[in-house]
């Protein structure tokens, strides 16, 4: 009883009591992730979609493919345009209106992950060099904000892209128009599988994995590592906060490697269960 | 870019150029300071030797009259102007009851600030929040305004250095100083510190770190491109060695500024 009251009056002290015993108020270990569930292909109007739940944090990603003229300085490349939306629905701290700072930072982070890890070769999205290319609009909407939004968004994006099916397009030489064959669809060529692992730093020394909304608020710093299956890092995002030594970073890397295996296994299982027998 | 800067300083009245005396508003830590650093620590000025070395850097403080503190930081041809207002009054909606509210505004050289600028502002703001002793000024606001004057590579590191020097100039209490260092890894794994714009474009990965002055811990990091874990540790170690030069430069330019002679 006393612990419950202290949780609202002195949240930091309340947390410290648990951290001393190497666990957290929701019963997890310091290196344990919340239950991750993924649902692929739920939106029928989108070309690809995925819903990811990381404990209470829920993010849905929908991918729509449209035609566009390729950029003049790269005539054989298409576009991948991500956008992260944090609507007032997911948390009381977001108001309606233009995207706030948190949403803009998350959008920039996802754009960087796509660019750095080369999930998709942009040349694969080109239909006719200099004339027509695919543009994939990836919209990520958070339905419930309980911390660790970056991990959920990265996972949702990857799962949705794996679900995208693009119809075959031919350019008719006589009319110079594009002919879309909706009956013949093919999956995208996903080259790497980047998985994000987020940590929160407490009291300058303790690192906990997958922070909830409360833990993020009390933490003195956060760190996100994006790793692909070959152990290459595409992003080490540490926006300020308390300092870390090289040794602590090493621990984070090893945890990120194990997390990658967990996530890949989960995604492969879901995709396998979806393919028609 | 460098020559433009030189003509700017020469345009000032002759008496100021000597950079002495407490009476003068602006102390020119610039030319003298980096000359001294060049001879003592052997940092290459115009051409870079093989291996890891930083470009020629220079700093000037207290050059603007309205902000409480200001600094211009130059790294090679990249230059950023920073101004700090604070501790000042804060809007009731933004006030924090036990700390100062820190705000960072970054304006690019051309165009309107976009999503990328917002992302960088968040990085710089969180770095400053880790070192500024906000608890000494509760319910106030400290605003850091950064203007990019020229961009020739390593822009974020230059912004961090300018912000730190401006905060020192404004007299904001801090628990440590911080500096920014950029590393670029090219396709065969060679490390280049403080890359130029051309080197950044051709590199396989560009990593920017912010390190604190007390025990060289990593305060902020942001990376672009693909690299391995071992390369990360290598870059971090190189950045920590390079940061020592930057901190020594900070110390010397401040000593020069406040010395009575």
């Amino acid at each position: 009883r006393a612990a419950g009251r202290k949780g609202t009056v002195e949240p930091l002290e309340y947390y410290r009591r648990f951290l001393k015993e190497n666990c957290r108020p929701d019963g997890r270990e310091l290196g344990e992730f919340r239950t991750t569930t993924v649902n692929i292909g739920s939106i029928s109007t989108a070309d690809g979609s995925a819903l990811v739940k990381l404990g209470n944090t829920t993010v849905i990603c929908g991918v729509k493919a449209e035609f566009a003229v390729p950029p003049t300085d790269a005539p054989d490349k298409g576009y991948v345009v991500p956008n992260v939306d944090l609507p007032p629905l997911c948390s009381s701290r977001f108001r309606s209106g233009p995207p706030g700072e948190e949403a803009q930072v998350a959008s920039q982070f996802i754009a960087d992950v796509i660019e750095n890890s080369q999930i998709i070769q942009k040349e694969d999205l080109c239909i006719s060099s200099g004339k027509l290319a695919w543009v994939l609009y990836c919209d990520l909407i958070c339905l419930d904000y309980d911390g660790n939004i970056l991990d959920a968004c990265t996972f949702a994006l990857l799962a949705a892209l794996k679900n995208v099916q693009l119809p075959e397009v031919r350019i008719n030489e006589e009319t110079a128009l594009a002919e879309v064959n909706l009956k013949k669809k093919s999956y995208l060529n996903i080259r790497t599988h980047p998985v994000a692992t987020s940590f929160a730093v407490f009291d300058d020394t303790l690192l906990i994995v997958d922070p909830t909304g409360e833990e993020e608020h009390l933490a003195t710093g956060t760190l996100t590592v994006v790793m692909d299956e070959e152990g290459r890092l595409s992003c080490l995002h540490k926006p300020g906060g308390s300092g870390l030594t090289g040794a602590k970073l090493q621990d984070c890397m090893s945890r990120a490697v194990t997390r990658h295996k967990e996530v890949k296994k989960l995604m492969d299982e879901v995709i396998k269960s979806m393919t028609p027998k | 870019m460098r020559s433009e800067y030189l003509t700017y300083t020469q345009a000032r009245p002759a008496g100021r150029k000597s950079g002495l005396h407490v009476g003068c508003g602006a102390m020119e830590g610039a030319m003298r300071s980096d000359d001294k650093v060049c001879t003592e620590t052997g940092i290459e000025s115009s051409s870079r030797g093989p291996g890891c070395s930083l470009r020629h850097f220079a700093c000037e403080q207290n050059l603007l009259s309205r902000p409480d503190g200001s600094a211009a930081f130059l790294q090679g041809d990249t230059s950023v102007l920073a101004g700090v207002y604070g501790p000042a009054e804060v809007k009731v909606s933004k006030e924090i009851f036990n700390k100062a509210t820190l705000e960072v505004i970054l304006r690019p050289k051309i165009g309107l600030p976009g999503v990328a600028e917002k992302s960088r502002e968040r990085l710089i703001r969180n770095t400053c929040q880790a070192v500024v002793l906000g608890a000494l000024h509760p319910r106030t606001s400290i605003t850091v305004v950064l203007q990019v004057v020229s961009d020739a590579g390593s822009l974020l590191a230059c912004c961090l250095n300018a912000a730190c020097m401006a905060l020192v100039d404004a007299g904001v209490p801090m628990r440590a100083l911080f500096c920014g260092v950029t590393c670029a890894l090219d396709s065969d794994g060679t490390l280049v510190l403080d890359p130029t714009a051309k080197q950044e474009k051709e590199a396989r990965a560009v990593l920017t770190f912010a390190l604190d002055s007390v025990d060289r811990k990593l305060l902020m990091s942001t990376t672009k491109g693909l690299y391995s874990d071992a390369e990360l540790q290598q870059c971090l170690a190189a950045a920590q060695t390079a940061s020592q030069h930057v901190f020594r430069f900070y110390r010397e330019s401040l000593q020069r500024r406040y010395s009575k002679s």
Side-chain angles (χ1 to χ4, degrees):
Chain A
R1 255 302 165 85
R5 257 186 280 133
K6 204 170 181 203
T8 39
V9 173
E10 272 283 340
L12 199 53
E13 271 310 308
Y14 177 66
Y15 254 81
R16 282 206 188 108
R17 284 168 62 195
F18 284 92
L19 291 175
K20 253 196 292 229
E21 311 290 327
N22 267 354
C23 72
R24 288 136 98 175
D26 52 3
R28 287 189 284 158
E29 306 259 313
L30 298 186
E32 202 184 315
F33 265 81
R34 288 174 282 184
T35 326
T36 316
T37 52
V38 59
N39 186 331
I40 299 190
S42 39
I43 305 179
S44 53
T45 47
D47 296 302
S49 62
L51 173 81
V52 167
K53 274 172 84 87
L54 215 65
N56 282 335
T57 303
T58 312
V59 171
I60 186 154
C61 175
V63 180
K64 289 286 285 179
E66 288 177 19
F67 287 137
V69 180
T72 37
D73 52 351
D76 55 349
K77 289 194 174 166
Y79 303 87
V80 181
V81 180
N83 182 40
V84 176
D85 186 22
L86 299 172
L89 169 70
C90 63
S91 166
S92 56
R93 56 165 138 157
F94 302 119
R95 297 280 145 85
S96 56
E101 196 202 290
E102 179 103 33
Q104 292 193 41
V105 169
S107 297
Q108 183 65 33
F109 175 80
I110 298 290
D112 287 341
V113 167
I114 296 174
E115 178 75 42
N116 294 341
S117 57
Q118 291 161 16
I119 301 181
I120 299 179
Q121 185 83 299
K122 292 217 173 99
E123 281 80 359
D124 291 346
L125 295 174
C126 182
I127 302 166
S128 161
S129 179
K131 296 204 200 81
L132 204 63
W134 285 113
V135 51
L136 295 176
Y137 290 109
C138 310
D139 296 305
L140 293 125
I141 300 172
C142 175
L143 300 172
D144 196 345
Y145 189 101
D146 193 19
N148 205 0
I149 197 84
L150 297 177
D151 283 10
C153 285
T154 326
F155 191 6
L157 178 76
L158 184 61
L161 285 174
K162 277 199 93 106
N163 181 235
V164 167
Q165 283 183 308
L166 292 179
E168 191 201 1
V169 182
R170 255 185 346 108
I171 305 272
N172 191 328
E173 287 100 30
E174 295 142 2
T175 61
L177 286 175
E179 283 170 8
V180 181
N181 184 356
L182 287 167
K183 295 205 183 60
K184 198 155 166 236
K185 289 193 176 187
S186 58
Y187 285 98
L188 282 175
N189 179 17
I190 307 286
R191 294 160 82 233
T192 59
H193 299 82
V195 169
T197 313
S198 292
F199 302 83
V201 186
F202 262 91
D203 286 340
D204 301 347
T205 42
L206 219 54
L207 274 169
I208 58 173
V209 134
D210 190 16
T212 64
E214 265 255 17
E215 287 168 357
E216 267 183 3
H217 189 67
L218 297 169
T220 49
T222 54
L223 167 70
T224 306
V225 177
V226 179
M227 205 179 250
D228 69 10
E229 56 266 15
E230 290 167 34
R232 287 179 305 186
L233 292 150
S234 48
C235 186
L236 178 68
H237 181 78
K238 184 183 189 300
S242 8
L244 282 180
T245 54
K248 282 237 151 32
L249 271 181
Q250 269 306 114
D251 297 336
C252 297
M253 297 304 153
S254 24
R255 185 68 187 90
V257 169
T258 38
R259 175 64 180 165
H260 189 282
K261 295 201 184 80
E262 291 165 18
V263 167
K264 185 99 190 344
K265 202 169 95 163
L266 176 63
M267 205 159 58
D268 288 342
E269 270 175 28
V270 175
I271 291 187
K272 206 166 74 164
S273 69
M274 272 181 50
T275 47
K277 307 272 188 297
Chain B
M1 286 298 125
R2 287 292 330 269
S3 55
E4 273 175 38
Y5 175 77
L6 279 170
T7 49
Y8 167 72
T9 51
Q10 279 160 16
R12 285 161 165 225
R16 286 273 190 99
K17 212 171 150 198
S18 55
L20 308 169
H21 318 304
V22 183
C24 285
M27 282 300 209
E28 275 187 33
M31 296 292 100
R32 298 268 214 92
S33 206
D34 52 42
D35 282 349
K36 191 169 174 213
V37 168
C38 272
T39 44
E40 274 192 355
T41 59
I43 295 178
E44 274 83 335
S45 50
S46 46
S47 63
R48 274 208 260 183
C52 312
S53 61
L54 301 170
R55 287 182 288 183
H56 192 73
F57 42 72
C59 168
E60 194 174 346
Q61 288 190 307
N62 206 5
L63 56 159
L64 301 171
S65 60
R66 310 291 311 195
D68 296 320
S70 54
F73 204 89
L74 287 88
Q75 269 178 242
D77 283 332
T78 309
S79 98
V80 174
L81 188 58
V84 169
Y85 292 90
E89 196 161 314
V90 66
K91 264 199 251 189
V92 185
S93 56
K94 289 198 201 152
E95 78 174 6
I96 306 175
F97 74 97
N98 60 346
K99 286 198 297 193
T101 311
L102 204 66
E103 250 177 43
V104 173
I105 301 170
L106 174 63
R107 301 206 124 245
K109 183 176 168 196
I110 14 177
L112 288 167
V115 181
E117 272 72 41
K118 260 285 184 290
S119 180
R120 292 210 185 110
E121 281 174 11
R122 148 83 67 107
L123 295 172
I124 300 173
R125 190 182 76 235
N126 284 24
T127 314
C128 294
Q129 260 169 355
V131 288
V132 164
L133 295 169
L136 292 178
H137 297 283
R139 296 191 314 280
T140 62
S141 84
I142 300 175
T143 312
V144 181
V145 185
L146 296 151
Q147 171 70 57
V148 176
V149 174
S150 67
D151 180 7
S154 310
L155 183 64
L156 186 57
C158 196
C159 289
L160 284 162
N161 294 335
C164 182
M165 285 274 95
L167 284 166
V168 168
D169 190 43
V172 172
M174 300 199 275
R175 71 166 59 88
L177 296 180
F178 58 91
C179 80
V181 183
T182 314
C183 305
L185 283 166
D186 66 10
S187 34
D188 31 300
T190 356
L191 206 137
V192 177
L193 280 179
D194 202 14
T196 59
K198 185 158 169 286
Q199 284 168 331
E200 271 186 3
K201 214 154 70 151
E202 293 165 359
R204 166 169 55 99
V206 178
L207 299 91
T208 306
F209 302 111
L211 301 161
D212 87 28
S213 62
V214 178
D215 36 17
R216 311 274 178 283
K217 278 209 232 170
L218 179 68
L219 287 176
M220 185 279 289
S221 108
T222 182
T223 66
K224 210 165 85 120
L226 276 171
Y227 50 96
S228 74
D229 191 15
E231 285 169 340
L232 169 70
Q233 296 294 343
Q234 195 193 1
C235 289
L236 192 53
Q240 281 170 334
T241 334
S243 67
Q244 285 177 14
H245 294 306
V246 184
F247 289 130
R248 197 174 332 155
F249 173 68
Y250 283 177
R251 182 180 286 272
E252 281 169 359
S253 62
L254 287 171
Q255 269 174 348
R256 182 174 302 275
R257 185 177 165 199
Y258 290 108
S259 66
K260 294 266 197 277
S261 57

